[in-house]
Amino acid sequence: MIETGLTTTSLTLGYRERVVIRELSIAVPDQSVTSILGPNGCGKSTFLKALARLIAPTSGQVCLSGDDIGKIDTRLLARRLSILPQSPKAPEGITVSDLVRRGRTPWRGLLAPWSEEDARVCQQALEQVGLSDLADRPIDELSGGQRQRAWIALVLAQNTPYLLLDEPTTWLDLAHQLEVLSLLQQRNRDHGTTVVTVLHDLNLAVRFSDHLILFGGNGLVAAGQPEDVITPDNLLSAFGLKALVMPDPITGRPMIVPH
Amino acid sequence: MKAAVGLVLLFFVAVALTLVVGVRNAGIVDVWQAFFAFDASDPTHAVIRSVRAPRLIAGLIAGAGLGMAGTVMQAVTRNPLADPGLLGVNAGAAFAVVVGALVTGYADSGMMAALAFPGAAIASIAVFLVGGARSGAGSPVRLTLAGVAINALLLSLVSAIILSRNETLEIFRFWVTGSLAQANARPLEAMFIALVVGAGISAVIAPRIEALALGSTLARGLGTKPGAVQLSALAAITLMTGAAVAVAGPIAFVGLVVPPLARRIGRHVLRRELVVSAILGGSMILLADTVGRLVVAPAEIRVGIMTALVGAPAFIFVVRRLKPGALT
């Protein structure tokens, strides 16, 4: 069997003595939007970082199209998979377009000048996040939602088939959360980009994801389509939360109403 | 575009003043003739070629080296207060040269100047280790404090060594504040090469330094190896600072004042910033030196003191502009 996409085999993750994820073998479906959910401290961020090779596994491996990502050249990996960490820092006074062009780093040769391809991809990324008009504005002057879209433009400029984001909606109000998530969904529909995010808001995750991975205090609880993962039993074992699950009046997908 | 024209103008004014101004006033015509129609019997020509031209070259090496080293340092550490002078890299270079002279008994030859490089390297590694930059726990505040402490320590060691010896006060002055007065006795060609190599490394790794400035997590996601980038940056900083110190002694504040201006003019594209830093740094040293020679002629105020006169207020300005929490 030829493995495709992003998969883990017997993946164990931890810091020093503390094991956070144990012997996890799971696949992230290709060309879909996947959200990783779970209570605080369950290891969902750790898991995302391991998928992006920011954390070395204690044992087991993460594979990208069958290649162990631990063995892929750093720069080549960065052309296939990008990650936006939580609350990244921008240099003071940098403009949106100058920030976004740094997303081209893995594509630029040792002495290669800025190419037309680089410029085109950056412009396209700015258009996709709707910041073309603000390209020359310093990032410090933007609102929280605009700033987050600028960071997303940076990883879009990296132009990878796999896009990982660690809590991309933190600190944003509901309208901006929707905006960011629909942006990512759009990217997935238009480019077939595999999007993996860590999210806190369950209802938003259900709404925008094709696939969910739900962690609890003791590792994986469920993975699959939202309808199969979001059940009262799973919510109870993952969060200790008693909740009613009913169809969302707009999308028909499961909606969580806590007791 | 306007900024580019301004930079070129500034540069030419600084170069022209360096060649024209002095005890023996020369005109632009004399300068031209000294280089293209040299008359050995004309003392003005002799002064221009043997005194002012080396001074010009030394000033450019020192200014460009410190300016670019400061720009690379500030980009890598994300610290607007990082300056090879303030963080003790200059002092490390000076310290190594002085110790070398002490041990071998040579009174500072060109060969001794080569010691500036290991000196600068060890001082910057010490600052990075003490400041915790390598472990990832380093905040700009820690890095700055570590640098200031190491700088003070090294400079007092330099003073202690020199004061215990019978060399003239001139050598003491040179290795404590820096000056262009001994330019014609410095190893200019070799240091020029060191500067070019350092600048070349910086230009090659510039995109990766830009990625690193977004934080090490994102930098790794962008396909760079933070450790390798930091090491190459350290090598570049060492080469450029070492070259600057070997020709002009430890000059503070150029590496502090130039980078913020370069960021503004170069618009956060590091390769552009490097070019701007070299021009601004060179011009700043030449102008400071010229003013220093004019105000108390026929004596002179050393360029290291002149840059401090400009740099100290600039330092206070930078500190006051920092946003709360920016240095944690």
Side-chain angles (χ1 to χ4, degrees):
Chain A
M1 182 185 106
I2 299 167
E3 281 191 85
T4 58
L6 202 48
T7 54
T8 71
T9 38
S10 319
L11 184 70
T12 301
L13 302 170
Y15 304 95
R16 301 218 173 91
E17 298 300 296
R18 203 172 88 84
V19 175
V20 183
I21 302 244
R22 195 185 300 275
E23 296 279 322
L24 180 64
S25 297
I26 202 168
V28 172
D30 253 10
Q31 307 196 354
S32 62
V33 178
T34 298
S35 290
I36 305 169
L37 307 170
N40 291 330
C42 70
K44 52 189 191 297
S45 269
T46 308
F47 178 64
L48 188 82
K49 283 181 188 139
L51 291 182
R53 203 176 67 177
L54 295 174
I55 292 175
T58 312
S59 65
Q61 58 181 12
V62 177
C63 289
L64 184 57
S65 309
D67 306 328
D68 180 350
I69 61 163
K71 295 188 179 119
I72 301 176
D73 173 81
T74 310
R75 187 199 281 244
L76 294 181
L77 180 64
R79 293 179 179 183
R80 294 165 71 178
L81 181 149
S82 52
I83 177 157
L84 182 62
Q86 251 184 82
S87 40
K89 283 181 192 154
E92 207 192 326
I94 194 169
T95 61
V96 174
S97 60
D98 288 332
L99 182 77
V100 172
R101 60 182 272 148
R102 296 190 179 187
R104 298 301 295 161
T105 309
W107 296 96
R108 299 181 66 188
L110 212 52
L111 278 173
W114 189 245
S115 73
E116 274 182 28
E117 166 78 359
D118 291 328
R120 190 186 62 75
V121 174
C122 284
Q123 199 170 1
Q124 195 186 30
L126 281 170
E127 273 165 28
Q128 277 173 7
V129 302
L131 285 182
S132 301
D133 295 341
L134 300 178
D136 292 328
R137 288 270 290 277
I139 191 136
D140 325 312
E141 289 176 12
L142 304 187
S143 71
Q146 290 168 335
R147 207 173 302 157
Q148 186 61 9
R149 282 191 279 150
W151 284 109
I152 290 173
L154 181 144
V155 281
L156 293 186
Q158 202 176 333
N159 208 12
T160 54
Y162 293 84
L163 173 56
L164 278 47
L165 306 99
D166 196 354
E167 300 197 20
T169 55
T170 317
W171 312 118
L172 299 180
D173 60 46
L174 185 58
H176 286 117
Q177 292 184 28
L178 284 165
E179 190 180 270
V180 162
L181 291 174
S182 48
L183 190 75
L184 296 172
Q185 195 178 40
Q186 199 59 43
R187 176 75 177 194
N188 163 261
R189 303 294 186 253
D190 293 348
H191 289 71
T193 306
T194 305
V195 177
V196 186
T197 59
V198 168
L199 286 181
H200 259 303
D201 190 305
L202 298 176
N203 284 323
L204 279 180
V206 170
R207 190 157 192 168
F208 285 99
S209 310
D210 308 310
H211 190 85
L212 297 178
I213 298 175
L214 178 64
F215 286 110
N218 297 311
L220 185 72
V221 172
Q225 294 191 341
E227 291 74 16
D228 304 329
V229 172
I230 299 300
T231 62
D233 285 350
N234 286 343
L235 292 174
L236 188 64
S237 73
F239 293 94
L241 176 78
K242 282 188 190 141
L244 212 63
V245 175
M246 50 201 285
D248 182 323
I250 296 178
T251 61
R253 291 186 174 192
M255 183 175 75
I256 298 138
V257 183
H259 273 297
Chain B
M1 206 47 226
K2 231 156 95 188
V5 173
L7 268 182
V8 172
L9 267 180
L10 175 76
F11 182 71
F12 278 110
V13 168
V15 168
L17 284 176
T18 302
L19 292 172
V20 168
V21 171
V23 177
R24 181 183 291 274
N25 261 317
I28 292 287
V29 178
D30 295 312
V31 171
W32 180 269
Q33 285 174 348
F35 288 109
F36 299 105
F38 182 59
D39 176 0
S41 65
D42 187 334
T44 308
H45 288 189
V47 164
I48 289 171
R49 280 184 76 139
S50 66
V51 179
R52 290 186 199 163
R55 204 166 177 135
L56 171 75
I57 305 297
L60 290 177
I61 293 175
L66 292 173
M68 288 191 285
T71 293
V72 172
M73 246 178 151
Q74 297 198 359
V76 171
T77 60
R78 276 189 290 172
N79 181 351
L81 297 179
D83 159 34
L86 282 179
L87 295 197
V89 184
N90 281 350
F95 175 70
V97 176
V98 170
V99 168
L102 178 76
V103 171
T104 59
Y106 291 109
D108 171 41
S109 69
M111 272 300 287
M112 293 280 95
L115 284 172
F117 298 103
I122 291 169
S124 30
I125 291 167
V127 171
F128 273 72
L129 287 181
V130 176
R134 191 68 192 84
S135 62
S139 75
V141 169
R142 279 183 64 176
L143 192 69
T144 310
L145 289 179
V148 168
I150 286 172
N151 187 39
L153 172 72
L154 289 169
L155 279 184
S156 38
L157 287 176
V158 171
S159 309
I161 291 169
I162 296 175
L163 289 176
S164 70
R165 312 235 316 156
N166 299 324
E167 263 85 36
T168 57
L169 206 54
E170 190 54 29
I171 292 181
F172 170 75
R173 288 200 197 132
F174 184 83
W175 291 113
V176 175
T177 50
S179 159
L180 299 182
Q182 301 169 8
N184 47 13
R186 313 303 310 166
L188 296 181
E189 291 89 352
M191 294 307 128
F192 177 72
I193 292 169
L195 174 72
V196 169
V197 174
I201 296 174
S202 310
V204 168
I205 62 171
R208 270 163 262 186
I209 295 178
E210 287 173 346
L212 193 58
L214 304 174
S216 62
T217 313
L218 190 48
R220 286 169 65 196
L222 287 168
T224 62
K225 298 184 180 121
V229 177
Q230 278 168 340
L231 265 184
S232 323
L234 202 70
I237 291 167
T238 299
L239 281 167
M240 296 190 290
T241 310
V245 174
V247 299
I251 296 176
F253 291 112
V254 175
L256 178 81
V257 176
V258 166
L261 295 169
R263 271 198 295 279
R264 186 159 289 196
I265 300 170
R267 293 191 49 232
H268 288 276
V269 176
L270 192 52
R271 283 182 184 154
R272 278 205 296 253
E273 286 177 39
L274 286 169
V275 175
V276 176
S277 313
I279 296 174
L280 274 181
S283 308
M284 180 176 166
I285 291 230
L286 292 180
L287 289 175
D289 182 55
T290 305
V291 173
R293 284 189 289 153
L294 280 177
V295 284
V296 290
E300 63 174 75
I301 300 179
R302 316 175 67 78
V303 65
I305 293 169
M306 292 306 296
T307 59
L309 286 179
V310 184
F315 177 82
I316 294 167
F317 180 73
V318 173
V319 171
R320 287 187 55 99
R321 269 201 48 214
L322 289 174
K323 291 186 185 125
L327 282 187
T328 51

